[in-house]
Structure formats: structure tokens, C-alpha cells
Amino acid sequence: MADPDGLWAVHGLPVTERAMGMTQLVVSELVTSAVKYAPGPVMLDLQISDGAVRVSVWDSDPVLPEVAVTDPQRVGRHGLEITLAVSQAYEVRRGPVGKCVTAVIALADDPGGNIAWPHHPLAPPHQALGSVSLVSVGSR
């Protein structure tokens, strides 16, 4: 089992290479979309809860993301499809200014290769990994 960034040592949570890769992919897709379409600042928040990482991206655009109609000829605009495919949960909440998009990714796999949602007694029920504020540079 992989131990990216010492999450096992620091938080008592096993993290597979799959979970690390999927988390990086979802962060990339959500932040890229926010920077591309939102006119203002972007905020990224990562939290660990119940054996999963919650990736939340807030942006100032009130327009909610929609999955595009399947089109094999389409180039780009597959970020939401990818995020939905690799996440165990997905949510969009409109706020007073903009919206917050959240995806949940399990941190561990079971021995059969299925995504597991283990509860680890060493881990507190909720751990914030931190927030990073990103500022969109330029316009749409």
C-alpha cells in the first residue's frame, strides 16, 4: 500500500496509489474548470472524513456545471464526466456568491480491488487537511 505524503504516519489513514491519483485528477479537473469559467477567485479545500477525502472547490460563478451530451467527436469539456466516474459522491451547492463543487474519493481499496469505506479507529472522525486560495489570473 502506498503512503503518499505520510498520511498513514500523520493521520493513521492508508492511502492507495489509486486514491492519490484519483484525488489529484479530481483536484485538477475541478480547479481547472473553476479558473477557466469563474470571473473571480477560487478556493480549494481538502478534508478527510470517514476514510475518504472531500475535495471542495469554491468559485464566484453562479452557473452550475452540467454534464455535456455524449459526443465522441467533442474535444474537451470531459472534466465533470471524469469527476463523476471516479468519485463516490458529488455535490454542487450554490452560495450567496458563486458555488461550491464537492467530490468524495475513498482513500483505501479492499483486497478484492473494490473501493472500500473503512473506518479507522486511529483517525479522528473529521480532519481538515487545509485550504488553499487560488486566484484566477486573466479573464474568461
Side-chain angles (χ1 to χ4, degrees):
M1 179 169 300
D3 187 19
D5 300 324
L7 285 173
W8 177 257
V10 175
H11 299 284
L13 297 170
V15 179
T16 64
E17 289 292 334
R18 180 213 50 88
M20 181 58 85
M22 293 301 105
T23 301
Q24 291 170 340
L25 176 62
V26 168
V27 166
S28 175
E29 292 297 341
L30 295 181
V31 169
T32 297
S33 180
V35 168
K36 185 175 180 179
Y37 296 109
V42 172
M43 185 172 70
L44 168 66
D45 184 56
L46 302 173
Q47 298 179 354
I48 292 178
S49 178
D50 298 324
V53 61
R54 293 178 59 87
V55 177
S56 297
V57 175
W58 172 88
D59 68 50
S60 57
D61 187 359
V63 177
L64 302 182
E66 294 180 8
V67 177
V69 175
T70 302
D71 178 1
Q73 302 301 316
R74 183 178 73 225
V75 176
R77 295 190 50 214
H78 295 282
L80 183 53
E81 293 171 81
I82 292 167
T83 298
L84 292 172
V86 303
S87 301
Q88 284 63 55
Y90 176 82
E91 172 182 72
V92 179
R93 289 188 183 196
R94 188 174 276 140
V97 176
K99 66 184 168 297
C100 183
V101 178
T102 300
V104 178
I105 298 114
L107 292 175
D109 296 336
D110 74 12
N114 296 314
I115 295 169
W117 289 84
H119 175 69
H120 299 281
L122 297 176
H126 183 75
Q127 298 176 349
L129 294 182
S131 297
V132 178
S133 294
L134 305 171
V135 178
S136 168
V137 179
S139 61
R140 291 184 187 198

